[in-house]
Amino acid sequence: MHSLRKELVNPDFEGNRTIILIPSITFDRYILESYPGPEYYDERFLYFLSYLRQPNTKLIAVISEGMQASYLDYVLEHSAKKLKISIDALKERFVHVSVPARKDYSLLENVLNNELVIDEIKNNISDPKNSYIEYFTTQKEEMDLSKKLGVPYYGLEEQALFLHNKSGSRRIFQEAEIRIPRGFDNVFSLKDIQEKVNQLFEMPNVNECIAKMDDGGTGIGIVRIKREMAESSYDEFCKSFVLPERRGLEDFEKHFEKAGGVVEEFLSAKYVTSPSVQFEIKPDGEIVNLATHDQIMEDTEYVGASFPASSGYREELIRKGYIVAEKMRDYGARGIQAIDFLATRNDPDEEWELWGMELNPRKGGTTPPYGWVQFFTDAVYNEARGIFESPCGDVYYQVCRPDMANAKLKGVDVDILINKLRENNYDFNYETCDGLFVQLGSSIKPFGKYEIVAMGHSREEILEWSKKLETCVNSIV
């Protein structure tokens, strides 16, 4: 199999190429079973349609079955309008491969176990030498599929797979001399958790701790632990864990023993934010800063992000991010990487302190909105300002999962929401470079879950779009 050439992954590459998009949310079964409808996350990555602005590029999108036809039509309509071509012309270079889904199996597993799907992908590859695979993440299964297709992928090299886990994150931050919470790596049992937590509580100013599964994500596999919990008997300690609805203590314990994890002090301050900085590490090792975000958190769960990160620490966030990204590159990280920090201070006049929290060597929650915004607005990132600049002016955006708790739109077809946005002129407007765009549209009906990307020219404008969305949703229900 040939190696991946740098020019092939460049969005502006003018030669013949085939991009194979397989955005499998590849996590362990415990993690997958904790997500409602993980198969619907695949469709967020259709922003790769933007690569079709190059007339010699072909896109094969391998997506779990379940994507609603009306949502795909919505995405294709937007993409064709932006590319200034007909939908029929777009479909000449866009191949949608629908993969039969099995409950609690990842898209990647379903592809590997379906020779008909593998043959369909192979038959649509114009030239393997001018093709590559874009994954959501890189695990050994992704490497296996790459070999099976005879096409290179853009992602972590095998020796860099440890970057996925929380213990690996702590290791890299320490090597980069970035301050991290006090804690312990490579913890493999609930007894170890209790022991390490009690050691942390003996340290000054530790009032709460947190245990994290090494392979957890978006709040799954995290337990907060207060002092009185740690000081109780082992049985009472375990019973006090607050776990996701669908998971019991026995499942948690088995997976923690298998995957391992970390135990850390829970950082608290009067002012706390969760900034993240994104980079691309190109095939030749060049590192490019793509964006910064402030993540929107509900307790320890990620529910959205706002671009750009606060100006109070944005420059320092990028500076420290580069140091960490260089370490990741040296271990073999390639492709999109996100580096999460925590920013704390106790007084508005204090400088923010940044703490290294987690590496995300994958196209996480901030990547799809970044892709759609670049595509729709023609924005170019000015690293010195930390801002997207477009022909319409500076671009700000926010992605969020509205009304997750109440799921007001459960049972509603996505086209009802789309039509309502259009009736009110809230759908993204290409002339003014602002408006709303729906992500995760196919999961509205089964789960009432969706994401909205709000784009505008100031933070105040983004807030106004959020209010308009709320009014729009209330008019539906």
Side-chain angles (χ1 to χ4, degrees):
M1 183 170 62
H2 64 285
S3 59
L4 180 60
R5 308 194 311 273
K6 178 181 179 179
E7 65 270 18
L8 206 60
V9 305
N10 185 338
D12 297 324
F13 177 68
E14 296 180 352
N16 293 317
R17 69 173 165 189
T18 301
I19 301 171
I20 306 150
L21 173 65
I22 311 177
S24 174
I25 310 299
T26 306
F27 288 123
D28 185 271
R29 190 83 67 243
Y30 176 91
I31 305 298
L32 271 182
E33 291 173 356
S34 301
Y35 281 92
E39 65 273 18
Y40 296 109
Y41 283 77
D42 305 346
E43 63 193 39
R44 293 190 303 173
F45 297 90
L46 288 171
Y47 68 86
F48 272 93
L49 286 160
S50 63
Y51 283 61
L52 296 184
R53 60 165 52 97
Q54 298 301 328
N56 295 314
T57 293
K58 179 180 183 179
L59 176 65
I60 303 172
V62 183
I63 306 290
S64 298
E65 69 178 357
M67 178 165 60
Q68 287 196 17
S70 57
Y71 182 70
L72 179 58
D73 289 344
Y74 168 74
V75 171
L76 294 180
E77 285 170 20
H78 263 291
S79 300
K81 184 173 183 178
K82 180 60 189 175
L83 295 171
K84 298 180 180 178
I85 59 175
S86 69
I87 291 179
D88 287 341
L90 184 152
K91 286 182 177 179
E92 290 176 3
R93 294 184 291 118
F94 170 68
V95 178
H96 172 211
V97 178
S98 180
V99 181
R102 292 181 298 164
K103 182 176 172 58
D104 297 327
Y105 282 79
S106 70
L107 168 64
L108 203 286
E109 291 173 305
N110 289 327
V111 171
L112 280 171
N113 289 293
N114 193 322
E115 289 298 328
L116 290 176
V117 169
I118 290 175
D119 287 343
E120 185 177 358
I121 296 170
K122 284 182 175 180
N123 292 337
N124 280 289
I125 296 172
S126 300
D127 178 4
K129 291 183 180 179
N130 289 312
S131 304
Y132 76 98
I133 305 171
E134 287 278 7
Y135 290 124
F136 161 74
T137 187
T138 310
Q139 305 284 2
K140 288 185 178 180
E141 294 87 350
E142 276 80 2
M143 295 177 180
D144 290 342
L145 181 57
S146 174
K147 292 173 184 174
K148 204 164 188 175
L149 293 173
V151 175
Y153 66 89
Y154 191 23
L156 298 185
E157 297 173 3
E158 188 165 5
Q159 70 272 18
L161 291 181
F162 77 95
L163 297 174
H164 281 297
N165 64 52
K166 306 295 190 294
S167 295
S169 296
R170 287 177 61 85
R171 169 181 163 185
I172 293 298
F173 283 124
Q174 288 173 311
E175 290 182 10
E177 298 182 350
I178 303 294
R179 189 175 184 186
I180 60 175
R182 291 170 288 183
F184 301 93
D185 313 338
N186 301 306
V187 179
F188 284 94
S189 73
L190 302 193
K191 283 188 178 294
D192 283 347
I193 292 176
Q194 186 177 29
E195 177 186 332
K196 300 303 184 186
V197 162
N198 278 313
Q199 290 182 41
L200 284 172
F201 280 130
E202 291 175 1
M203 300 178 185
N205 302 316
V206 177
N207 300 309
E208 188 175 357
C209 295
I210 190 166
K212 306 176 185 176
M213 284 182 178
D214 258 339
D215 58 356
T218 66
I220 303 296
I222 294 178
V223 175
R224 290 176 61 171
I225 302 167
K226 297 186 181 297
R227 183 182 296 272
E228 57 268 25
M229 292 167 57
E231 292 174 346
S232 62
S233 68
Y234 175 70
D235 287 344
E236 290 300 317
F237 172 70
C238 295
K239 289 177 183 176
S240 65
F241 282 18
V242 177
L243 300 171
E245 274 183 33
R246 301 173 63 192
R247 314 311 315 216
L249 180 63
E250 184 178 350
D251 284 345
F252 181 89
E253 183 174 20
K254 283 181 180 178
H255 187 69
F256 208 98
E257 289 175 351
K258 173 186 172 185
V262 303
V263 175
E264 299 174 338
E265 63 175 319
F266 185 82
L267 295 174
S268 60
K270 189 172 182 180
Y271 303 97
V272 180
T273 65
S274 298
S276 179
V277 56
Q278 287 67 41
F279 293 92
E280 180 179 5
I281 305 178
K282 298 190 177 181
D284 65 352
E286 179 190 1
I287 300 173
V288 179
N289 173 225
L290 301 178
T292 64
H293 297 85
D294 279 324
Q295 298 179 91
I296 303 169
M297 309 293 290
E298 290 183 0
D299 194 9
T300 58
E301 182 180 2
Y302 167 89
V303 295
S306 178
F307 170 92
S310 168
S311 59
Y313 45 68
R314 190 187 309 152
E315 184 177 338
E316 184 69 358
L317 179 67
I318 295 171
R319 186 188 73 80
K320 289 189 172 183
Y322 266 113
I323 297 171
V324 176
E326 288 170 3
K327 293 290 181 183
M328 297 174 72
R329 175 198 60 196
D330 294 345
Y331 279 105
R334 296 293 185 271
I336 301 294
Q337 317 292 324
I339 304 166
D340 294 348
F341 289 80
L342 201 72
T344 62
R345 66 181 181 184
N346 286 304
D347 188 278
D349 295 326
E350 286 181 356
E351 292 291 322
W352 288 97
E353 182 162 12
L354 291 175
W355 305 73
M357 297 303 291
E358 185 175 347
L359 307 179
N360 287 297
R362 55 183 180 260
K363 298 177 182 69
T366 57
T367 307
Y370 165 86
W372 288 118
V373 169
Q374 269 205 320
F375 182 20
F376 289 169
T377 67
D378 291 323
V380 176
Y381 180 63
N382 182 328
E383 182 181 324
R385 296 182 63 215
I387 289 289
F388 269 133
E389 298 173 339
S390 81
C392 299
D394 292 349
V395 175
Y396 292 71
Y397 65 87
Q398 178 174 291
V399 60
C400 62
R401 298 174 187 170
D403 195 44
M404 282 288 286
N406 298 320
K408 291 179 181 177
L409 295 186
K410 186 174 181 179
V412 174
D413 283 324
V414 61
D415 53 334
I416 293 176
L417 174 60
I418 291 169
N419 291 335
K420 185 63 69 172
L421 293 177
R422 287 173 168 167
E423 287 171 14
N424 289 282
N425 294 318
Y426 295 166
D427 199 29
F428 182 78
N429 184 310
Y430 292 92
E431 293 183 3
T432 56
C433 293
D434 63 1
L436 303 174
F437 179 75
V438 181
Q439 286 190 162
L440 274 179
S442 300
S443 69
I444 291 179
K445 190 169 185 176
F447 298 104
K449 181 172 70 174
Y450 59 102
E451 293 181 341
I452 290 287
V453 183
M455 294 166 262
H457 303 293
S458 68
R459 295 194 190 277
E460 293 74 22
E461 190 176 329
I462 297 301
L463 182 60
E464 286 302 311
W465 281 119
S466 298
K467 292 177 181 177
K468 290 176 180 178
L469 172 65
E470 185 178 358
T471 301
C472 183
V473 170
N474 287 338
S475 71
I476 295 173
V477 298

